[in-house]
Amino acid sequence: MVMAGMAKARAIIRDGKVRIVECFEKEFCKALILQGYIKDGYLDELEAAYQASRGYLSIDSADGWNAVFHLLDRCGVRLSFFLVYLDLRGRGRRVYRGLRHGTLYVRIGKGLEVLVLEEGTPVTLRSLVDWSRQVVADGFEPIIAVVDRNGGVTYYEARVVEDLS
């Protein structure tokens, strides 16, 4: 963990997008570009929040978790969505925004598409089945991440089974 005031880069939020304006450690910024987190000069909001949570990025003069909550608010990112991202990145995974709304893509094996749901939020079985079939048709493994009221994340495989006999 980097100590406060020891960020590797400084960013600003403009129009809901994160731009790195100063890079104190060039290798850090280069790695973000090579991994696909910086595109057209903008840093993915989830990755920016993740790096801020680690103390590596200051955002609009805020550091650490103050920067994270500032970013989530300014960029309209749900806390539950970030918590799943944080959990997956903490497990050493490369995580990106998914193809469909409310999903994340994880580079592992043939790829996982993770649908982020919050405990207590209604969802229909039909919508889950449709989503799962689309994900499998795209060649990915469907996973549902449920974020409980305490911020804990539980993962479920979401493959549709046609025949139970």
Side-chain angles (χ1 to χ4, degrees):
M1 179 75 156
V2 175
M3 300 299 291
M6 299 295 290
K8 295 181 179 189
R10 186 172 64 84
I12 59 171
I13 299 173
R14 293 294 179 264
D15 300 321
K17 294 185 177 186
V18 180
R19 179 181 287 281
I20 293 183
V21 292
E22 193 171 6
C23 193
F24 308 119
E25 289 190 24
K26 300 299 181 201
E27 289 302 314
F28 172 74
C29 295
K30 183 178 176 183
L32 290 173
I33 292 169
L34 291 174
Q35 293 171 3
Y37 291 117
I38 295 177
K39 291 181 183 168
D40 300 323
Y42 291 97
L43 176 58
D44 177 82
E45 296 89 5
L46 291 166
E47 184 65 15
Y50 172 70
Q51 295 299 340
S53 76
R54 298 175 71 206
Y56 294 163
L57 183 68
S58 69
I59 303 169
D60 290 342
S61 301
D63 292 316
W65 284 96
N66 289 332
V68 171
F69 291 119
H70 172 73
L71 180 145
L72 297 179
D73 182 54
R74 293 281 311 275
C75 295
V77 177
R78 291 186 349 246
L79 177 59
S80 59
F81 202 66
F82 174 65
L83 290 174
V84 174
Y85 186 90
L86 180 68
D87 182 67
L88 292 167
R89 288 289 278 128
R91 295 170 187 255
R93 306 292 184 219
R94 287 212 186 143
V95 185
Y96 303 89
R97 290 189 180 274
L99 298 173
R100 284 161 273 277
H101 178 73
T103 67
L104 297 168
Y105 171 73
V106 182
R107 279 193 191 165
I108 183 172
K110 65 180 182 176
L112 308 175
E113 185 170 312
V114 180
L115 176 63
V116 179
L117 300 175
E118 295 175 18
E119 176 185 15
T121 301
V123 62
T124 66
L125 184 56
R126 171 59 45 209
S127 68
L128 292 177
V129 167
D130 292 346
W131 168 77
S132 177
R133 285 186 174 143
Q134 290 172 354
V135 171
V136 170
D138 288 341
F140 304 124
E141 187 73 30
I143 302 292
I144 296 173
V146 178
V147 181
D148 68 28
R149 287 177 170 82
N150 297 317
V153 181
T154 305
Y155 299 94
Y156 300 93
E157 184 177 353
R159 186 170 293 275
V160 175
V161 177
E162 296 294 333
D163 186 11
L164 294 176
S165 59

